Amino acid sequence: MDFPVWVWVATLVGLTALIVGDLVVVGRRPREVGVKEASLWVAACVGLAVLFGIALLVFAGPTSGAEFFAGYVTEYSLSVDNLFVFVIIMSRFSVQKEHQHRVLFIGIVISLVLRGVCIAAGAAALNAFNWIFYIFGAFLIYTAVKVAKEGAGDGGEVEAPDSVVVRALHKVLPTTDSYDGGKLTTKINGKRLFTPMIMVVSALGIANVVFALDSIPAIFGLTTNGYIVFTANALALLGLRQLYFVIGGLLERLVYLSYGLAVVLGFIGLKLIIEALHGSHIDEIQFEVPHIGIALSLGIIVAVLGVTTVASLLRSRSVAAKKAEAEAEPELARTTSG
């Protein structure tokens, strides 16, 4: 269904209020965010998304609600990959822990604005040209194969994407060599200069948009409704900063995450191509093309990610137990011999 203008306006006003309120809380004082506090914020963000999805189910119909939940789960899951890069960016720029939450907030707000532009362009292209579905579908299947191959690699260190834009900003903007707390600018000898924090924020925002090249086509494979695509992305991004502080130590334990994401991307890519075949009316000319409903899509996505997460945690627990056993054997041998 098409959502009226007043719904868009009310949603944007609500999101702006959330962002401003969050900024007031974040900007009170620099502090290191603990796991307990971050967990409460994650629960609040997820709860807000669930309430929003239920509202769509009630007022817009079961299809819209199911599309939102499928899109939100997909976007939030794919965003976990961003966290690996966030950790590397924070480490590379040596950002102090008490300033990380504010920097993440600014970077995510920037990426939200840029994603909004990408979503608007993608929705317009899909509405005008059915063949875009083929391109998105093929791209997602290619990405799925690439992600699966990376997951089967040697598990080497993840590298942050080299950003031409960040390097160009460093050359163009007058920047100091040291930080001034969490400030983006500072004054030296009466002259206003940027601090390296501007590079951190830019790198985070650009990294988020780069990852959107996968996630936005993926959600368009679940729904072509621009409102649902935007709100699913917005709510997933708003909960991403808190998730960073919750599962920072958990990321290394999700050893099979890449395989799960590869399956999800491949499935949605196939669904996009099937949708394109329906749009081209191939089923009316030559053969019947199966239809993949949103309920089935949501079930497959949740099941794949659930199995992947459980399998990862069991695998990590097994490896940790074997490591502890191996470390205990020499100590046991010395005790016995003594």
Side-chain angles (χ1 to χ4, degrees):
M1 64 172 293
D2 292 329
F3 290 84
V5 175
W6 71 266
V7 174
W8 276 96
V9 173
T11 302
L12 291 175
V13 169
L15 286 173
T16 302
L18 286 174
I19 291 171
V20 172
D22 198 357
L23 182 59
V24 170
V25 173
V26 168
R28 287 183 305 175
R29 57 183 175 83
R31 71 191 190 284
E32 183 177 348
V33 178
V35 174
K36 182 179 180 180
E37 178 187 352
S39 299
L40 293 174
W41 277 105
V42 169
C45 291
V46 173
L48 178 63
V50 171
L51 290 176
F52 183 84
I54 292 174
L56 284 179
L57 282 169
V58 174
F59 297 106
T63 299
S64 295
E67 288 177 348
F68 171 79
F69 280 118
Y72 175 75
V73 171
T74 301
E75 291 297 305
Y76 210 18
S77 301
L78 291 174
S79 295
V80 173
D81 263 3
N82 296 30
L83 301 183
F84 286 101
V85 178
F86 288 179
V87 171
I88 294 170
I89 290 174
M90 294 296 186
S91 175
R92 177 173 295 180
F93 286 95
S94 302
V95 181
Q96 296 180 343
K97 290 185 177 182
E98 60 265 28
H99 299 301
Q100 289 184 2
H101 63 299
R102 184 170 183 268
V103 173
L104 282 169
F105 175 81
I106 298 173
I108 287 174
V109 170
I110 291 174
S111 67
L112 178 58
V113 174
L114 295 178
R115 280 199 185 198
V117 175
C118 295
I119 290 169
L126 289 174
N127 288 331
F129 308 105
N130 181 71
W131 52 266
I132 297 292
F133 280 96
Y134 291 108
I135 296 177
F136 277 10
F139 176 73
L140 287 179
I141 292 174
Y142 164 78
T143 304
V145 174
K146 183 180 178 181
V147 170
K149 287 183 177 179
E150 290 175 352
D154 57 6
E157 182 181 357
V158 181
E159 296 183 0
D162 186 22
S163 174
V164 176
V165 177
V166 172
R167 296 201 306 270
L169 284 174
H170 186 68
K171 293 180 180 179
V172 173
L173 298 178
T175 309
T176 63
D177 295 327
S178 59
Y179 292 102
D180 183 7
K183 297 179 181 178
L184 296 177
T185 63
T186 187
K187 269 190 175 182
I188 297 180
N189 297 327
K191 185 177 181 182
R192 179 68 64 178
L193 300 173
F194 287 98
T195 70
M197 198 66 75
I198 190 68
M199 304 303 162
V200 181
V201 171
S202 301
L204 291 171
I206 292 168
N208 244 319
V209 174
V210 169
F211 278 97
L213 297 178
D214 296 340
S215 62
I216 290 179
I219 193 172
F220 272 122
L222 300 170
T223 176
T224 56
N225 189 297
Y227 178 80
I228 295 177
V229 172
F230 174 74
T231 51
N233 265 273
L235 291 172
L237 281 177
L238 288 179
L240 185 60
R241 176 173 59 89
Q242 293 82 3
L243 192 64
Y244 169 86
F245 297 103
V246 173
I247 68 172
L250 185 61
L251 290 174
E252 295 180 355
R253 298 174 61 189
L254 299 177
V255 292
Y256 297 132
L257 176 64
S258 58
Y259 296 107
L261 295 179
V263 172
V264 170
L265 289 172
F267 165 72
I268 297 177
L270 179 62
K271 184 177 184 296
L272 267 172
I273 292 176
I274 290 175
E275 291 294 332
L277 292 173
H278 279 292
S280 301
H281 304 289
I282 297 296
D283 51 338
E284 298 177 4
I285 301 174
Q286 298 180 5
F287 55 88
E288 183 177 354
V289 179
H291 176 71
I292 302 177
I294 189 62
L296 177 60
S297 299
L298 177 57
I300 291 175
I301 291 169
V302 171
V304 168
L305 294 175
V307 170
T308 300
T309 301
V310 172
S312 295
L313 296 178
L314 290 175
R315 170 65 177 172
S316 297
R317 181 181 297 179
S318 174
V319 171
K322 290 180 179 178
K323 182 179 179 181
E325 184 179 347
E327 292 175 349
E329 285 180 357
E331 182 67 25
L332 180 62
R334 285 195 297 268
T335 303
T336 304
S337 62

